[in-house]
């Protein structure tokens, strides 16, 4: 008896190969899926990325190289750029696009928050240009001496500027610091020293009985030889010079007042801040606080606050330990 013969062995082998390939593709699918996972976006607001730097360029013979540098604190002149579009923005020659800066008028001390959105100015000696909205909020009209300092504002304020609205105005910069910045920009802009006013000497009062009469013609020699009796000047007739009033003392700050410079997550950053402002470090939980203490008067507190903000710590505040 003849057994049935499989007339299609070749087809059976091809079927086995196709089945093995299907199984291999199913096993490799998770690996391929993992390779297609997109790279996570950088931390921070999505609307502020990607930041653009660009290549170096030349303005009036000077080469400018854009860089992502945080501690930017400059003084210079700003002009109004009427065609800069809506919103509170500024043109800068090296800062990333976009980034955020505080702009201070060195005429009034008024300080605003602006968004760096373009390069420029590309001609002339002016280092910055303001949009019309930024110039209006700052109170700038024409060429204005300014201070530009890069900051890292909260997301709520970033969103306002991205939406072409205005962020809240910062605290005015003290005029004492404005004077220092003006001298840094141009020594000729500093106020000239006030000349000392010399008070006239007090007039000597005449004692009663002595008249101040104009000159008279000479008398005969016989009468001139006679001694003239002059009454004695009473000691009480000459008033003593008024005593100088003591200079007013500076108002004392409340006991325990200090300037809170900031709180930092690492001791290294806190030590850097303390060296810049001459402060001290104290541990509060997991944070390292930097303070400027030992302030006896409000003038010392104001000077310490100006020093901290001048070093780039815009959130510094005067506080009292209760």
């Amino acid at each position: 008896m003849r057994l049935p013969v499989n007339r299609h062995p070749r087809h059976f082998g091809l079927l086995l190969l196709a089945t093995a390939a299907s199984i291999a593709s199913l096993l490799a699918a998770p690996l391929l899926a993992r390779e297609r996972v997109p790279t996570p976006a950088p931390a921070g607001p999505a609307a502020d990325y990607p930041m653009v730097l660009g290549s170096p360029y030349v303005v009036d013979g000077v080469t400018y190289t854009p860089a992502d540098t945080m501690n930017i604190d400059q003084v210079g002149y700003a002009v109004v750029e009427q065609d800069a579009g809506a919103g509170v923005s500024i043109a800068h020659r090296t800062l990333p696009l976009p980034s955020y800066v505080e702009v201070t008028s060195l005429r009034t001390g008024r300080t605003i928050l602006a968004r760096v959105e373009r390069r420029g100015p590309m001609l002339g000696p002016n280092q910055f240009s303001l949009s019309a909205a930024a110039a209006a909020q700052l109170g700038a009209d024409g060429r204005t001496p300014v201070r530009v300092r890069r900051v890292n504002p909260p997301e709520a304020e970033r969103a306002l500027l991205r939406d072409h609205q205005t962020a809240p105005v910062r605290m005015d910069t003290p005029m004492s610091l404005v004077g220092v910045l003006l001298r840094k920009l141009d020594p000729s802009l500093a106020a000239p020293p006030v000349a000392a006013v010399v008070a006239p000497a007090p007039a000597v009062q005449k004692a009663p009985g002595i008249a101040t009469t104009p000159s008279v013609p000479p008398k005969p020699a016989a009468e001139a030889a006679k001694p003239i009796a002059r009454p004695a000047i009473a000691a009480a007739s000459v008033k003593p010079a008024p005593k100088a009033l003591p200079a007013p003392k500076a108002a004392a700050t409340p006991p325990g007042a200090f300037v809170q410079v900031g709180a930092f997550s690492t001791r290294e950053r806190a030590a850097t801040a303390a060296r810049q402002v001459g402060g001290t470090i104290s541990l509060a939980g997991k944070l390292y606080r930097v303070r400027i203490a030992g302030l006896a008067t409000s003038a010392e507190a104001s000077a310490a606050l100006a020093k901290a903000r001048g070093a780039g710590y815009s959130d510094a505040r005067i506080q009292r330990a209760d």
Side-chain angles (χ1 to χ4, degrees):
M1 180 178 180
R2 181 179 295 178
L3 294 175
V5 177
N6 187 354
R7 300 180 181 274
H8 305 284
R10 185 177 179 182
H11 294 169
F12 182 73
L14 293 175
L15 179 62
L16 290 177
L17 290 176
T19 303
S22 300
I23 295 173
S25 63
L26 290 176
L27 293 175
L31 296 175
L32 295 175
R34 283 197 296 271
E35 291 178 357
R36 295 193 199 101
V37 174
T39 303
D48 287 340
Y49 288 92
M51 289 193 307
V52 178
L53 289 176
S55 303
Y57 60 98
V58 179
V59 176
D60 293 338
V62 179
T63 300
Y64 293 90
T65 303
D68 186 10
T69 306
M70 279 304 302
N71 56 341
I72 292 292
D73 192 343
Q74 302 169 326
V75 290
Y77 290 96
V79 291
V80 182
E81 186 179 355
Q82 296 295 343
D83 58 350
V88 180
S89 63
I90 183 174
H92 195 280
R93 289 177 175 172
T94 59
L95 281 177
L97 307 178
S99 53
Y100 297 86
V101 294
E102 284 184 353
V103 184
T104 300
S105 169
L106 297 186
R107 290 177 178 165
T108 63
R110 186 177 178 86
T111 303
I112 66 170
L113 182 67
R115 193 170 190 249
V116 182
E117 295 184 347
R118 57 197 176 276
R119 288 278 173 254
M122 293 302 181
L123 292 173
N126 304 301
Q127 293 95 326
F128 320 104
S129 63
L130 305 171
S131 66
Q137 189 183 21
L138 189 65
D141 184 11
R143 191 168 185 257
T144 305
V146 295
R147 175 195 192 188
V148 173
R149 188 167 63 90
R150 187 179 181 185
V151 293
N152 188 22
E155 170 56 20
E157 295 182 347
R158 294 170 179 251
L160 287 173
L161 295 182
R162 288 197 301 265
D163 199 30
H164 296 165
Q165 302 182 48
T166 57
V169 176
R170 271 41 187 163
M171 182 180 297
D172 287 355
T173 300
M175 293 309 293
S176 58
L177 178 57
V178 169
V180 173
L181 295 172
L182 273 175
R183 287 193 294 272
K184 179 180 178 182
L185 174 61
D186 186 351
S188 66
L189 295 177
V194 179
V197 178
V198 180
V204 179
Q205 297 183 354
K206 298 292 183 179
I210 300 181
T212 56
T213 58
S215 59
V216 295
K219 295 182 179 181
E223 294 184 6
K226 296 180 180 179
I228 300 176
R230 300 183 182 273
I233 299 177
S237 63
V238 179
K239 295 182 179 180
K243 295 182 178 180
L245 296 176
K249 296 182 178 179
T253 55
F258 59 89
V259 172
Q260 176 76 18
V261 179
F264 304 88
S265 58
T266 64
R267 187 174 184 85
E268 290 75 13
R269 295 179 58 195
T272 300
R275 284 195 301 270
Q276 291 175 338
V277 302
T280 58
I281 304 173
S282 61
L283 182 62
K286 295 182 178 181
L287 298 177
Y288 296 90
R289 295 185 301 187
V290 177
R291 296 177 173 178
I292 305 176
L295 307 175
T297 65
S298 58
E300 292 181 3
S302 298
L305 179 62
K307 181 178 182 180
R309 290 182 175 171
Y313 303 99
S314 57
D315 294 332
R317 296 290 184 273
I318 297 176
Q319 294 184 358
R320 182 178 65 181
D322 293 326

